[in-house]
Amino acid sequence: MFDRIAGRYDLLNRLMSFGTDQSWRRATVKSLELPAAARVLDLATGTADLAIRVARTAPDCTVVGLDPSVGMLEVGQRKLAAAGLESRVSLIRGDAEQLPFENAQFDGITMAFGIRNVPDRLKALKEMARVLRPSGRVALLELSAPRAQGLFGTLARWHVRSVVPWMGALLSGASEYRYLEQSIAAFPPAEQFQELIAESGLEPLSLKRLGFGACHLYVATVRGT
């Protein structure tokens, strides 16, 4: 599915989030508090949106973007060429559950809208803990079922349950894109996912609710640092 929708993926994200996904990515990069000359790993990098954001925010850093979808990576590579960032951002095909890196290789790890799709989330989180350097940070941006009360909470739930899957299927031409609402509903509540982060060997630092609870930003570091 992701291979088929790769050419329209960025447009889908902008329309379905009314452009707020860009501000969410900025918050994700800021939360890393990167040191000078940092090395960053962007998991589920897709079309490299977040990897590019990291590289532009921290001009002296290098970024490795990893994703299982060849189609998405091809789009991302074209974007890197257009942005003149090929020397600082590299894209590779890979699996978040089995990272092809030695221990303690990265100062920061990001993942936007990807952990929800990983079959074994605990295994992926343990891999993040393994390749993260002491004092480094993990920043996970993920959609969730809005639980806020009141008018805005009701509107957010309607948007996620009805508008998002309908718009995704319509614009992408992939009926499977309707999986989105089901996968969001199946993702654990934020506090429960925080417990999974802690179980992996990472130490949760903060949890930020975005979009009236339609999205959360989880920030963690290596336990004991």
Side-chain angles (χ1 to χ4, degrees):
M1 181 196 73
F2 283 106
D3 284 343
R4 288 198 301 275
I5 69 172
R8 299 183 181 180
Y9 185 72
D10 290 344
L11 174 63
L12 288 168
N13 279 338
R14 303 299 176 269
L15 292 177
M16 289 191 294
S17 70
F18 300 111
T20 56
D21 64 300
Q22 292 292 64
S23 64
W24 296 346
R25 284 183 172 85
R26 286 194 293 271
T28 301
V29 177
K30 184 178 180 180
S31 71
L32 290 177
E33 297 185 358
L34 294 172
R39 189 176 187 219
V40 180
L41 173 62
D42 182 37
L43 298 174
T45 194
T47 62
D49 247 16
L50 188 52
I52 290 172
R53 175 71 61 184
V54 173
R56 285 176 168 166
T57 303
D60 59 349
C61 80
T62 56
V63 186
V64 177
L66 180 145
D67 198 281
S69 169
V70 173
M72 298 284 272
L73 291 174
E74 287 175 350
V75 174
Q77 197 63 54
R78 292 196 294 270
K79 289 168 63 176
L80 291 177
L85 290 171
E86 291 176 295
S87 63
R88 292 177 48 223
V89 182
S90 58
L91 303 181
I92 62 173
R93 188 182 185 191
D95 181 354
E97 295 179 12
Q98 296 179 310
L99 297 178
F101 308 108
E102 299 295 327
N103 296 348
Q105 292 292 301
F106 297 96
D107 300 289
I109 300 174
T110 56
M111 192 175 198
F113 314 124
I115 192 66
R116 188 184 73 256
N117 296 321
V118 176
D120 190 337
R121 295 171 191 143
L122 180 59
K123 187 175 182 180
L125 289 167
K126 286 181 177 180
E127 279 288 88
M128 294 180 210
R130 180 181 67 81
V131 303
L132 188 65
R133 290 171 179 162
S135 77
R137 288 189 172 196
V138 172
L140 306 174
L141 187 65
E142 190 51 84
L143 299 173
S144 50
R147 291 176 170 82
Q149 301 302 310
L151 176 61
F152 288 111
T154 299
L155 288 173
R157 283 188 289 276
W158 173 76
H159 182 75
V160 169
R161 294 171 182 172
S162 301
V163 176
V164 166
W166 172 81
M167 187 180 294
L170 179 66
L171 294 177
S172 69
S175 59
E176 300 98 317
Y177 208 82
R178 291 184 175 273
Y179 92 96
L180 185 58
E181 189 272 332
Q182 286 83 6
S183 68
I184 293 172
F187 194 71
E191 293 73 17
Q192 186 177 333
F193 186 62
Q194 283 276 75
E195 294 175 1
L196 193 67
I197 291 174
E199 185 181 344
S200 73
L202 293 169
E203 184 69 32
L205 293 177
S206 65
L207 170 61
K208 187 174 183 180
R209 190 181 72 174
L210 304 166
F212 301 99
C215 186
H216 285 84
L217 174 58
Y218 306 85
V219 182
T221 189
V222 176
R223 182 170 295 151
T225 61

